[in-house]
């Protein structure tokens, strides 16, 4: 993978993480503390460990995938992957904003489901391009699926 590509994907992941981090600050609010949460919700610290690892994974696997597609003379597939990644990162940041800032629990559950589908799509694209190296992105859609379950359950408990 080339440094300029990694710089772009890492920059995009960093911006997403920053937006999400700023939007999730209300997680320490009285509103969030009052929400009913399912028993399977992990401690708050888990999220601050998992997400940076996932963002790094997204940046590295995506840079590797885009460069590989260009090396294989498949620029249209590289553009499609990049567009899918951009949409995914917008969905990623929007979930946090919908849940914590707007307090739209139902909409955030739908956004989490869309993020899961999008994450599975970019993982599929990475696997098609890179095989087992692309499969290193698999924890991302799995975590997003868990987040969808968690978001949906919080919404249902607090309707």
């Amino acid at each position: 993978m080339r440094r300029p590509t990694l710089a772009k994907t890492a920059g995009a992941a960093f911006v997403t993480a920053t937006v999400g981090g700023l939007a999730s600050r209300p997680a320490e609010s009285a509103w969030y503390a009052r929400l009913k949460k399912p028993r399977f919700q992990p401690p708050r610290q888990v999220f601050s460990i998992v997400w940076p690892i996932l963002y790094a994974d997204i940046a590295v696997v995506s840079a590797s995938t885009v460069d590989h597609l260009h090396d294989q003379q498949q620029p249209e597939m590289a553009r499609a992957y990049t567009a899918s990644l951009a949409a995914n990162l917008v969905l990623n940041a929007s979930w946090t904003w919908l849940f914590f800032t707007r307090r739209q629990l139902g909409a955030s559950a739908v956004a989490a489901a869309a993020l899961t589908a999008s994450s599975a799509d970019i993982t599929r694209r990475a696997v098609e391009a890179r095989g087992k190296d692309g499969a290193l992105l698999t924890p991302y859609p799995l975590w997003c699926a868990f987040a969808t379950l968690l978001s949906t359950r919080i919404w249902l408990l607090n309707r």
Side-chain angles (χ1 to χ4, degrees):
M1 112 188 65
R2 295 186 248 324
R3 286 184 189 199
T5 310
L6 180 58
K8 289 174 187 174
T9 59
F14 179 78
V15 167
T16 302
T18 300
V19 169
L22 291 172
S24 67
R25 288 167 56 184
E28 300 169 11
S29 69
W31 168 80
Y32 183 74
R34 284 191 306 270
L35 287 176
K36 295 176 191 161
K37 298 169 197 81
R39 285 191 263 256
F40 60 85
Q41 175 158 337
R44 183 180 302 167
Q45 300 86 335
V46 170
F47 297 95
S48 63
I49 294 167
V50 171
W51 276 111
I53 294 168
L54 291 174
Y55 286 129
D57 186 38
I58 292 164
V60 171
V61 172
S62 293
S64 174
T65 300
V66 169
D67 283 343
H68 178 78
L69 290 167
H70 281 297
D71 291 346
Q72 297 298 311
Q73 306 300 313
Q74 298 177 337
E76 44 304 312
M77 289 182 74
R79 278 193 297 278
Y81 182 91
T82 301
S84 296
L85 175 63
N88 176 270
L89 294 176
V90 168
L91 283 168
N92 187 305
S94 71
W95 175 88
T96 311
W97 184 77
L98 284 167
F99 187 92
F100 290 109
T101 304
R102 300 289 300 164
R103 300 179 180 175
Q104 299 285 323
L105 301 181
S108 69
V110 171
L115 176 60
T116 300
S118 174
S119 300
D121 178 60
I122 64 169
T123 301
R124 176 193 58 79
R125 291 171 186 270
V127 169
E128 285 178 2
R130 303 281 295 142
K132 66 179 180 174
D133 290 340
L136 293 172
L137 198 52
T138 302
Y140 181 42
L142 293 176
W143 182 257
C144 290
F146 173 72
T148 300
L149 177 64
L150 185 59
S151 296
T152 301
R153 190 67 184 130
I154 289 172
W155 172 46
L156 293 173
L157 288 171
N158 293 279
R159 286 171 38 147

